[in-house]
């Protein structure tokens, strides 16, 4: 009997305008394709509300609320209070995110502002006893330094792009490594080494949709059922079955959020 995927996408953006014209149809289609759950991650002030609404409108969508480093200038006391309020009102908000550091784009807020806002949101996660979803782009050393300042906070290093050594440091702190469609790209040697060197019980799978669709759909709008390509690649690297990978990554996510499947 053929294995039937049960996909939990641990990082998506279905409130993105890329889905404005056919969101309902896409979400219905991916459910038919075996998607059992999605963690929709906010990144801006506006997306705190749109993410929260998605969790209310769709039973299989959960939320993470936070301000992305590119919008760090928008984080203030009122935003903090709104996140806290939504977390208390809505049991489907499972994490604080996407938060972190992004040194890739010159137009992003100054690094000191990003670091301050990252720390503030890590404090909030600690206060609310929630895991975090961390965005780290070209900022590995500073990201790790701030993670170490909050030993009680655990979470996901989303769209992992660092070395195996950095991954091991993250795992030591109790974090999970988020694997995206990048692993299926031809030049993905570094992330393949990470998958090889990190135990399966510390890996999670994610799309970051609508971005970064895996091969053979690279360049198209990404969606959660494409995770089967990521699972297949991890299985190939780990020399185990896709079924084993699928079961393990789902269990990993539920362990992180302290929920029974």
């Amino acid at each position: 009997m053929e294995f039937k995927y049960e996909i939990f996408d641990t990082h998506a953006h279905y409130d993105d305008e890329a889905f404005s014209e056919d969101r309902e149809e896409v979400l219905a289609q991916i459910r038919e394709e075996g998607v059992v759950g999605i963690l929709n991650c906010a990144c801006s002030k506006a997306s705190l509300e749109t993410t929260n609404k998605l969790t209310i409108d769709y039973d299989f969508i959960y939320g993470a609320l936070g301000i992305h480093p590119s919008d760090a200038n928008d984080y203030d006391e009122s935003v903090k209070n709104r996140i806290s309020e939504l977390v208390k009102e809505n049991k489907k908000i499972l994490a604080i995110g996407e938060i972190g550091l992004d040194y890739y784009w010159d137009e992003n807020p100054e690094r000191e502002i990003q670091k301050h806002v990252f720390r503030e949101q890590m404090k909030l996660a600690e206060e609310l006893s929630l895991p975090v979803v961390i965005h780290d782009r070209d900022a590995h050393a500073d990201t790790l330094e701030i993670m170490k300042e909050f030993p009680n906070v655990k979470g996901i290093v989303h769209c992992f792009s660092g070395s195996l050594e950095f991954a091991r440091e993250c795992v030591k702190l109790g974090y999970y490594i988020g694997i995206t469609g990048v692993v299926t790209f031809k030049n993905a040697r570094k992330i393949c080494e990470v998958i090889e060197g990190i135990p399966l019980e510390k890996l999670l799978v994610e799309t970051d949709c609508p971005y970064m669709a895996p091969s053979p759909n690279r360049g198209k709008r990404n969606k959660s059922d494409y995770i089967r390509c990521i699972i297949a690649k991890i299985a190939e690297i780990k020399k185990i079955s896709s079924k084993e990978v699928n079961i393990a990554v789902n269990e990993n996510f539920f362990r992180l959020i302290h929920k029974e499947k």
Side-chain angles (χ1 to χ4, degrees), residues 129-147:
S129 300
L130 288 177
V132 291
V133 179
I134 291 180
H135 173 103
D136 159 40
R137 192 166 188 194
D138 289 1
H140 305 324
D142 286 350
T143 298
L144 188 62
E145 181 188 329
I146 292 171
M147 286 162 67

Side-chain angles (χ1 to χ4, degrees), residues 60-130:
F60 72 119
I61 299 183
Y62 301 84
L65 300 181
I67 300 294
H68 188 283
S70 62
D71 280 34
N73 288 325
D74 291 342
Y75 189 82
D76 57 18
E77 198 67 19
S78 69
V79 171
K80 174 190 171 181
N81 292 340
R82 183 58 178 152
I83 293 171
S84 299
E85 187 184 337
L86 290 171
V87 166
K88 284 162 190 167
E89 284 175 5
N90 185 352
K91 298 299 177 201
K92 292 180 76 185
I93 304 301
L94 304 180
I96 299 299
E98 135 182 31
I99 65 175
L101 302 173
D102 192 318
Y103 294 169
Y104 181 78
W105 299 106
D106 291 338
E107 61 268 28
N108 276 350
E110 291 175 13
R111 293 183 180 190
E112 288 309 311
I113 292 171
Q114 288 189 43
K115 287 194 277 188
H116 171 71
V117 170
F118 184 16
R119 286 187 172 99
E120 287 300 303
Q121 293 186 95
M122 290 289 278
K123 279 182 207 165
L124 180 60
E126 188 166 33
E127 285 166 24
L128 296 171
S129 300
L130 288 177

Side-chain angles (χ1 to χ4, degrees), residues 186-203:
K186 282 180 184 171
N187 59 348
R189 184 183 53 81
K190 194 159 66 164
I191 193 63
C192 292
E193 285 173 1
V194 168
I195 291 166
E196 204 171 353
I198 294 296
L200 181 59
E201 59 267 24
K202 298 306 290 186
L203 300 180

